[in-house]
Amino acid sequence: MLAGFRAFFAASVLALSALISVPAAAGTLQCAPFARQVSGIEIYGNANTWWGQAEGRYARGHQPRVGAVLAFASSRSMPVGHVAMVSKVVSDREVLLTHANWSYRGGIERDVRAVDVSANNDWTDVRVWYGPIGGLGTRSNPANGFIYADEPVTIDQPVQVASADAAGGAAIRSAF
């Protein structure tokens, strides 16, 4: 009986030491820090604040581009929104996303399918691949649009705007 207790005790200590070796402060990887890291877009805070924070700092729009961040809006199922980087543009209504904390708590997913299902083809309603069912999720998700990492906007920097001159040719002017 004593030998059985010793074996049980040794196994318990071994199991406990495996648990202790995991840092207690190790948290769950969230989408915003991951998107910031992979895209280079220096925005902080919850994902639902990225779209507003990008205004005046980064170009924003509704056309997918590699490296852009798709900013999902808050919804009942996503109260703090979501952000994901576009890793490939498949078509004007389909992209592949790289993101964290979507299908699996704290997990990273690379090159997963996302489809624009908005009525106006403007990426304001999106369905995203969901790992547990092995396909596009069963619901669509509201989105604000794309934040473009390669086009920072500076308030005191002139922006060149192309416009047609009186003869119909293109002219470039600077605007503030």
Side-chain angles (χ1 to χ4, degrees), residues 67-88:
V69 168
L70 179 57
F72 291 85
S74 294
S75 68
R76 185 176 206 166
S77 57
M78 294 188 310
V80 294
H82 185 70
V83 284
M85 188 194 72
V86 176
S87 49
K88 182 178 182 179

Side-chain angles (χ1 to χ4, degrees), residues 138-156:
T138 57
R139 64 175 160 79
S140 62
N141 305 281
N144 294 306
F146 297 95
I147 302 169
Y148 305 114
D150 59 344
E151 297 182 33
V153 174
T154 307
I155 294 173
D156 43 86

Side-chain angles (χ1 to χ4, degrees), residues 105-128:
R105 184 179 164 103
I108 294 172
E109 295 173 297
R110 298 187 190 282
D111 300 326
V112 297
R113 187 173 180 224
V115 177
D116 172 23
V117 295
S118 62
N120 296 326
N121 190 24
D122 61 2
W123 287 90
T124 56
D125 202 17
V126 182
R127 289 185 60 203
V128 180

Side-chain angles (χ1 to χ4, degrees), residues 79-103:
V80 294
H82 185 70
V83 284
M85 188 194 72
V86 176
S87 49
K88 182 178 182 179
V89 176
V90 177
S91 71
D92 63 338
R93 296 201 73 159
E94 183 177 343
V95 297
L96 299 183
L97 298 175
T98 293
H99 60 165
N101 205 30
W102 183 265
S103 293

